[in-house]
Amino acid sequence: MTKAKPTAWSLGLAVLIVFPLIVTNPAWTSIGVLTLMFMACTTSWNMFSGYSGYVSLGSAIFFGSGAYTMALVSTHAHMAGGAALFWLIPVAGLVAMVIAVPVGAIALRVRRHTFVVITIALFFVFQLLAINASFTGGAAGIYIPLINWGASYYNVPFYYVALGMVIFATLLSAAVRRSRFGLQLLAIRDDEDRALGLGVRVTAVKLTGFVMSAFTLGMAGGLYCMLQGQIYPQFVFDPTFDITVALMAFLGGFGTLLGPLLGGLILEASQQYLTESFSNGSLYLILFGVLFLLVILFMPQGIVVAVSQWWNGRAQRRELAATTDPAAVGANT
Amino acid sequence: MPALLEAKDVTRSFGGVHALAGCSLSVDKGSITGLIGPNGSGKTTMFNVMTGYVKPEKGTISFNGNDVTNARPDKIFALGVGRTFQLTRIFARISVIENMLVATQRDESWLRGLTRSKSSKSELDAAMEWLDFVGLSRLASLQAGSLSYGQRKLLELAYVLVADPDVILLDEPAGGVNLTLINEISEKILALNKGGKTFLIVEHNMEFVMKICDKVTVMHQGCDLVTGTPAEVRADPAVLDAYLGSSDDELEEEEVND
C-alpha cells in the first residue's frame, strides 16, 4: 500500500503528460485544457472550503478577477499576442489574492450557512461591477491581443500550463494538509469555538486559507481569458462556475486531496463531451442532476471516501474470512 | 495564598436574565477550587466570562496579575488558562493524536503555523505522554468521533493538559460518567494538583467536590453566596436555603447520609 500510492499518482500524472501527444484533435485537447483548469480550481477551492468546512460559493469572484487582470493588463500594456502573455497568469493570481483580502474579511465575519449566502451576495456585487463599470468594457467585454498559433497546435501550450497549475494546486494542498496551519483549518471545521479556546487564531487562519485559495482560481481565470481571446462579464463572473467547482469537490470527496481532482476530471470532461456530442447543449444539466442525486443518496461523502471505505471494509472482511475459514487462507495468498 | 485567577463583581445578562449579578470568585495558586450552585445559578457563564467566550458587562477578570477582562479566548489560553466544556467538545473528524496536536502550542504566531509541520518530535512525545496519562494512547490513530463519551471526556482533559496551562477550568468533569471513571478522574486531578496545577471545577456531584476541593464557592442567582472549605460550606444555612426548593437536592442527601 505504501508503494502503491506514489505509483498511482505518478501513473496518473504520466497519462496527463502524454495525453496531448497522442490525442491531437483540437476538439479533444480543448476538453483537456478546460478539464485541467477545473481540476486546479476545485483543488484550490477545496484547500480552503474542504479543510475548513466553510463552503464558498464565490469562487468566480477570483476566477473573474484573474480573467479581467489578464484582459486589462494585456490590452493597456499593448502586449503582443503570444507566449509572453503566460507571464500575466501569476499576476492574475496575485490580483485575485489582493481582492480576496477584503472579500474574506467581510464574508468570514459570519459562520457556516450565512457565510455561503454572503459569498453568493458578494459574487453578484462583482458581476454587476464588471457589467457596469467603464474600465471593464461593460457588457461588450474585452478582446485581448490575438494569438496566432495554428489551430492544431493552439491548445497544447495551454494544456501544459493548466497541467502545471494542477500540479501546483495539488502540491500546495498536500503541503497545507501536512502543516500546522492545515491542522488548524481542520480543527476549525470540526469545532471552531473549541479551537479558539485551544489557542488557534481562527480569524487569521481562516482569512489566510481563503486568500491562499484565491491564487490558483485567479490564475485559472487568467488562463481562461487568454485561451478564449475575449471575455464577457457573464462568462467569467458566472454563477454556475461557483456551483460547479463546489459540486466537483463534493462529488469527488470534500476535504480530500484526490477527490477534487477526480471530481473535476469526471464532471468537466463529461460535460464538455456531452455538450459537443449532442446538439442540445443543456442535456448535461439533466444528467448531472441525476448524478448528483445518486451521489448524495449513496455516497454523501464523495467517491474517494466511499471507495476507500469499501476497500478497507473488503480487506477487513477478507481478514475475518481468513481467520475463520482455513480454506480462504490458501485462496488469498 | 495569592489569587492566580480572579473575577471581581462580574455582571452579565442575557436578555432579561441576569446570569451574573456582581459575582466575585478567586482561585488561589495551587488550589483545587470548587464552584457549585443550583442549575441556572450562573456557573457556566462564569466560566465563559473567565475564558473570554462571553464579555462581561461590568467587573474585571485578572490572571496572574494581568487584566484579561476583554481578551479573546485564544489569548487567555495562551497566557495559561485551559478549560473543558460541559458538553464535551472534541474534533470529531481528525484522529485522537491530531486532537492533541491542535493544543500543543499555546502561544505560537499563526504565521509560524504556515511554515511548519503539524508536529515536532517533542510535541508528538508530549501528546503521547498525556494520552498515556489518561489511558488513551492505544487509540491515538483512531478518529476521535469514534470514542465513547467517557473517552471523549478524558481526551478533552488530555488536550487541555498538553498545552501545560497554569490553571485548568473543568466544567462538570464527572457529569454523565460512571463511578469507576469518576474515581479515575479525581485521582488524576489530585495527582496533577500535587504537581503544581491549579484547578477550578464546576460540578454537581457533591461527593466528588467535597472529596477533592480545598475551597468551594457556592453560587446562587448569579451571585457568590458563600466561600469556604467544603466543611464550612456544607454547614452553612444559606447554602441549604439556596438548594432547597430547587430540583438539585444532592446536598440535602449528603446531609441526611451524614
Side-chain angles (χ1 to χ4, degrees):
Chain A
M1 194 63 195
T2 44
K3 274 188 182 172
K5 263 191 181 173
T7 313
W9 281 97
S10 15
L11 200 69
L13 182 62
V15 169
L16 291 176
I17 290 173
V18 298
F19 175 80
L21 305 177
I22 297 166
V23 182
T24 50
N25 182 345
W28 284 95
T29 49
S30 159
I31 294 178
V33 176
L34 292 172
T35 303
L36 288 173
M37 190 186 86
F38 270 99
M39 285 164 75
C41 287
T42 306
T43 299
S44 193
W45 177 88
N46 181 67
M47 186 177 73
F48 172 70
S49 290
Y51 293 167
S52 73
Y54 274 80
V55 174
S56 160
L57 289 183
S59 42
I61 295 172
F62 311 118
F63 184 80
S65 306
Y68 270 93
T69 304
M70 170 65 78
L72 290 170
V73 175
S74 63
T75 49
H76 284 290
H78 303 289
M79 293 176 74
L85 291 181
F86 281 126
W87 291 110
L88 289 181
I89 285 179
V91 178
L94 289 173
V95 170
M97 280 174 93
V98 171
I99 288 171
V101 175
V103 169
I106 294 168
L108 290 166
R109 291 182 67 85
V110 294
R111 293 202 180 167
R112 310 294 157 191
H113 302 94
T114 324
F115 172 80
V116 181
V117 176
I118 300 288
T119 56
I120 296 170
L122 287 170
F123 160 75
F124 280 108
V125 170
F126 276 84
Q127 192 194 44
L128 284 172
L129 213 62
I131 294 171
N132 294 306
S134 57
F135 73 94
T136 60
I142 304 175
Y143 287 80
I144 71 158
L146 192 69
I147 300 172
N148 285 313
W149 294 335
S152 61
Y153 169 75
Y154 186 83
N155 288 328
V156 179
F158 289 103
Y159 182 92
Y160 285 108
V161 171
L163 181 59
M165 272 186 216
V166 173
I167 295 169
F168 169 78
T170 307
L171 290 178
L172 186 65
S173 185
V176 164
R177 180 66 184 84
R178 281 166 196 220
S179 72
R180 184 153 204 95
F181 166 70
L183 180 65
Q184 290 171 334
L185 284 174
L186 295 178
I188 288 169
R189 175 194 67 186
D190 281 0
D191 190 337
E192 185 166 342
D193 283 325
R194 179 69 268 197
L196 184 67
L198 291 174
V200 178
R201 272 70 169 169
V202 292
T203 310
V205 169
K206 285 186 294 183
L207 188 60
T208 308
F210 190 75
V211 171
M212 273 171 73
S213 92
F215 183 63
T216 307
L217 288 161
M219 288 205 296
L223 179 86
Y224 182 75
C225 169
M226 196 180 153
L227 178 75
Q228 299 294 317
Q230 67 203 63
I231 51 168
Y232 300 99
Q234 61 271 36
F235 290 139
V236 291
F237 286 107
D238 178 4
T240 54
F241 179 90
D242 291 325
I243 296 166
T244 306
V245 166
L247 288 182
M248 284 170 174
F250 277 111
L251 174 76
F254 187 59
T256 64
L257 192 61
L258 182 62
L261 293 170
L262 204 63
L265 181 69
I266 295 170
L267 277 196
E268 185 59 22
S270 59
Q271 182 203 323
Q272 291 293 333
Y273 177 74
L274 289 172
T275 312
E276 291 202 7
S277 308
F278 299 99
S279 53
N280 185 343
S282 301
L283 179 70
Y284 76 91
L285 288 173
I286 298 170
L287 291 171
F288 277 16
V290 174
L291 182 63
F292 280 117
L293 279 179
L294 292 176
V295 168
I296 286 174
L297 279 173
F298 298 109
M299 298 189 280
Q301 290 176 293
I303 295 170
V304 169
V305 179
V307 169
S308 76
Q309 277 171 355
W310 171 80
W311 183 263
N312 292 339
R314 181 171 159 273
Q316 274 169 9
R317 278 193 299 278
R318 277 193 174 189
E319 229 170 71
L320 202 67
T323 49
T324 51
D325 179 11
V329 179
N332 277 338
T333 46
Chain B
M1 275 188 288
L4 184 60
L5 182 63
E6 195 169 26
K8 269 194 191 142
D9 303 319
V10 176
T11 302
R12 171 73 207 206
S13 0
F14 297 103
V17 181
H18 297 290
L20 294 175
C23 186
S24 296
L25 174 65
S26 84
V27 181
D28 298 336
K29 198 173 165 72
S31 73
I32 302 180
T33 303
L35 184 60
I36 62 170
N39 288 320
S41 58
K43 303 181 298 288
T44 296
T45 307
M46 195 63 184
F47 259 38
N48 287 339
V49 169
M50 287 178 129
T51 49
Y53 280 91
V54 168
K55 305 255 174 281
E57 282 146 5
K58 277 186 213 149
T60 55
I61 310 290
S62 63
F63 172 68
N64 230 347
N66 303 312
D67 180 46
V68 293
T69 308
N70 285 307
R72 289 194 322 261
D74 54 332
K75 177 85 196 307
I76 292 178
F77 181 76
L79 287 171
V81 182
R83 75 169 288 187
T84 66
F85 286 85
Q86 186 177 356
L87 297 169
T88 308
R89 295 168 82 160
I90 53 159
F91 306 111
R93 285 187 284 168
I94 56 180
S95 69
V96 169
I97 189 76
E98 281 179 318
N99 268 264
M100 297 293 293
L101 294 173
V102 171
T104 42
Q105 290 300 324
R106 69 173 204 225
D107 191 15
E108 185 179 72
S109 132
W110 59 275
L111 269 175
R112 179 88 180 86
L114 276 172
T115 53
R116 56 165 294 196
S117 73
K118 237 178 339 197
S119 62
S120 66
K121 176 85 175 63
S122 62
E123 284 167 351
L124 209 58
D125 288 347
M128 281 310 285
E129 207 174 291
W130 284 111
L131 276 182
D132 210 30
F133 178 75
V134 297
L136 292 178
S137 54
R138 76 199 155 81
L139 307 175
S141 60
L142 224 62
Q143 210 179 31
S146 61
L147 296 184
S148 73
Y149 183 75
Q151 288 170 331
R152 287 175 191 224
K153 285 230 143 178
L154 291 171
L155 173 60
E156 202 182 15
L157 180 65
Y159 69 48
V160 169
L161 288 170
V162 75
D164 194 26
D166 301 313
V167 52
I168 299 151
L169 280 62
L170 301 175
D171 201 343
E172 300 202 15
V177 172
N178 72 49
L179 202 64
T180 325
L181 195 54
I182 290 180
N183 289 333
E184 208 176 302
I185 289 174
S186 60
E187 271 164 33
K188 307 260 183 242
I189 292 172
L190 287 168
L192 288 163
N193 180 246
K194 270 209 185 89
K197 298 273 180 228
T198 304
F199 284 89
L200 173 63
I201 300 173
V202 162
E203 186 51 67
H204 278 295
N205 182 327
M206 286 308 142
E207 201 186 330
F208 183 86
V209 172
M210 296 302 162
K211 192 169 108 190
I212 68 170
C213 293
D214 316 314
K215 196 178 88 174
V216 176
T217 294
V218 184
M219 282 185 72
H220 182 55
Q221 296 178 347
C223 299
D224 52 311
L225 194 65
V226 177
T227 299
T229 64
E232 286 165 7
V233 165
R234 178 192 296 242
D236 197 302
V239 176
L240 287 174
D241 276 351
Y243 271 92
L244 278 174
S246 76
S247 60
D248 202 324
D249 52 7
E250 281 167 290
L251 203 75
E252 269 185 278
E253 280 175 13
E254 285 285 320
E255 292 289 315
V256 173
N257 291 341
D258 282 353

